[in-house]
Amino acid sequence: MGCNQSNPKNNNIDSNNGILQESNQESNADSNTGLTRRESMQSKSSSVPSALPEFSNLHGTSTRSVASVAPRNNSINQVATTRFLELKTIDYTDQNGVERKWDMASRTTKGSGDIADAVIIIPLLRTSGSNKTETLLVEQYRPPVGRDTIEFPAGLIDKDEDPETAAMRELREETGFIGSKCTILSGPSVSRVLCMSPGLCDETVNCVVVEVDMDNPANQGTPKTELDEGEFCVVKKVELKKGLKRALDNGQTMPFAGLYMFAMGLEVGLRMREK
């Protein structure tokens, strides 16, 4: 949910100046050189079918196909900024043609277009001769919630870095483990661009599944992390099928919502398979 602002006071910044990024914004790559590797990778992973027959509307109407006015962001007002975050007020028009306002937070490092800000990594740890699959979780103190959380490894995508490279790098830095390849059961190895908390911020991520070969000597023992100054992480290893949801339910840390939903989905899938 957002908070309405009746009288924004800062200078109004039109969306065409590049601060408000629209999904159909053109790439700034030179036409002679084409897209950068990161943009090319992203365009493949974020493509959406024109029709989704798997979904059917139960309530409400589609704002894209039925509404007399397509909802749109008109402009933004920068309210405040720190080194890492900006508070902005969006002036937008809803599907009934009513002009409204919405407050949001944004990273100062926010990129352009449909390029994700960060990667969330789902590590799959496998050892030859074993049917067991484990994963890695990261426990760390998060000041906004005032307590320790437990999450999948994650991190920001560097400039001109593709999601797969970022996933391999962040996995090594946060956990010390070396990924062997990015993979997924079907489709591309990188998810389409996903929103994190769209009622509050414009942060977007790619989910990347990374296979970790536990026969690799670098992954044996206690691999050394490469944490930034002020970053403190405790790395946890847990079995996927039998221990993940139980560990999240019984632990003292607050689970990241995406991780908990992953665990619930895995449990539901295993139960349905048994039936």
Side-chain angles (χ1 to χ4, degrees):
M1 294 184 295
C3 299
N4 288 334
Q5 293 266 347
S6 57
N7 294 303
K9 296 181 180 180
N10 285 28
N11 292 332
N12 202 27
I13 305 174
D14 189 82
S15 60
N16 292 329
N17 70 1
I19 295 181
L20 180 62
Q21 305 298 340
E22 299 292 343
S23 61
N24 62 354
Q25 185 175 6
E26 294 182 357
S27 167
N28 59 5
D30 190 283
S31 59
N32 294 326
T33 60
L35 297 175
T36 65
R37 183 176 179 224
R38 180 181 174 192
E39 291 168 331
S40 178
M41 290 280 298
Q42 196 64 50
S43 65
K44 294 177 183 178
S45 64
S46 62
S47 60
V48 183
S50 58
L52 295 174
E54 299 88 347
F55 296 97
S56 58
N57 291 337
L58 297 180
H59 300 286
T61 57
S62 170
T63 59
R64 296 299 182 186
S65 59
V66 179
S68 57
V69 177
R72 66 183 183 276
N73 289 350
N74 302 315
S75 61
I76 63 172
N77 185 318
Q78 186 178 17
V79 178
T81 184
T82 67
R83 179 183 175 187
F84 298 108
L85 293 176
E86 291 179 296
L87 175 63
K88 303 175 182 179
T89 295
I90 305 173
D91 292 286
Y92 74 102
T93 303
D94 70 14
Q95 56 264 43
N96 292 325
V98 178
E99 293 187 0
R100 301 183 183 276
K101 297 181 182 296
W102 195 287
D103 288 342
M104 77 163 188
S106 181
R107 292 185 183 275
T108 55
T109 56
K110 179 72 177 175
S112 61
D114 283 338
I115 299 174
D117 303 313
V119 288
I120 295 177
I121 305 143
I122 304 175
L124 299 180
L125 281 59
R126 295 192 177 100
T127 304
S128 61
S130 174
N131 293 325
K132 182 171 66 174
T133 300
E134 297 175 303
T135 193
L136 297 171
L137 306 178
V138 175
E139 184 179 295
Q140 58 188 315
Y141 180 76
R142 293 293 197 181
V145 294
R147 59 190 297 183
D148 289 345
T149 63
I150 190 160
E151 314 165 14
F152 277 127
L156 294 176
I157 301 175
D158 288 342
K159 184 178 180 181
D160 296 329
E161 188 177 42
D162 61 73
E164 290 171 313
T165 302
M168 292 290 198
R169 174 182 55 77
E170 286 289 347
L171 180 67
R172 183 187 71 252
E173 292 176 357
E174 286 201 353
T175 71
F177 285 82
I178 307 298
S180 55
K181 64 178 179 178
C182 300
T183 185
I184 203 165
L185 296 178
S186 62
S189 59
V190 177
S191 76
R192 58 183 293 191
V193 174
L194 311 171
C195 57
M196 288 287 286
S197 184
L200 177 65
C201 65
D202 59 359
E203 184 178 28
T204 55
V205 299
N206 291 121
C207 282
V208 185
V209 179
V210 177
E211 292 191 12
V212 179
D213 181 8
M214 295 304 292
D215 293 325
N216 184 342
N219 293 327
Q220 297 173 3
T222 305
K224 185 179 179 180
T225 60
E226 302 174 22
L227 300 175
D228 294 332
E229 193 277 329
E231 189 176 20
F232 306 94
C233 296
V234 177
V235 181
K236 306 280 189 177
K237 185 165 65 172
V238 61
E239 187 176 353
L240 265 182
K241 291 184 179 181
K242 297 181 179 180
L244 181 56
K245 187 170 182 297
R246 183 171 65 249
L248 299 180
D249 286 334
N250 298 333
Q252 298 300 311
T253 56
M254 179 183 288
F256 172 63
L259 170 61
Y260 195 83
M261 286 188 286
F262 176 92
M264 289 183 70
L266 180 61
E267 185 176 79
V268 170
L270 291 172
R271 289 182 179 180
M272 293 179 64
R273 187 176 181 181
E274 292 173 357
K275 294 180 179 180

